[in-house]
Amino acid sequence: MTLTPSFDPDATEYTANTTNATNTITATPEDDEATVTILNGETPVSNGAAATWAEGANTVTITVKNGAAQKVYTATVTKST
């Protein structure tokens, strides 16, 4: 699965397409002190673990927090057959 556009820390909205039932989601922050929270819809996903996709559009929210600073990235993953 490939993000569109390619990852850019200043861009917060992405899309991807898949035909797989699951794909691994890995978010690597630039700062080792930062924490990452990943949600597939309302379902938490451990960083580096597989997310399960429903047919159609799935919204993945990745929140990176470092102290008081926080940035939220959103990817719409569309699963087709």
Side-chain angles (χ1 to χ4, degrees):
M1 179 171 64
T2 303
L3 287 177
T4 303
S6 295
F7 183 75
D8 173 347
D10 294 325
T12 58
E13 298 287 325
Y14 297 89
T15 61
N17 295 306
T18 188
T19 57
N20 299 324
T22 63
N23 290 101
T24 300
I25 300 175
T26 303
T28 307
E30 287 183 1
D31 187 332
D32 291 339
E33 299 296 316
T35 60
V36 175
T37 304
I38 303 170
L39 294 175
N40 180 9
E42 298 294 321
T43 304
V45 178
S46 295
N47 197 359
T52 302
W53 310 120
E55 285 291 320
N58 298 263
T59 302
V60 176
T61 306
I62 299 171
T63 304
V64 180
K65 189 171 184 179
N66 192 355
Q70 177 174 299
K71 191 148 193 182
V72 177
Y73 300 92
T74 304
T76 301
V77 179
T78 302
K79 180 183 180 279
S80 60
T81 54

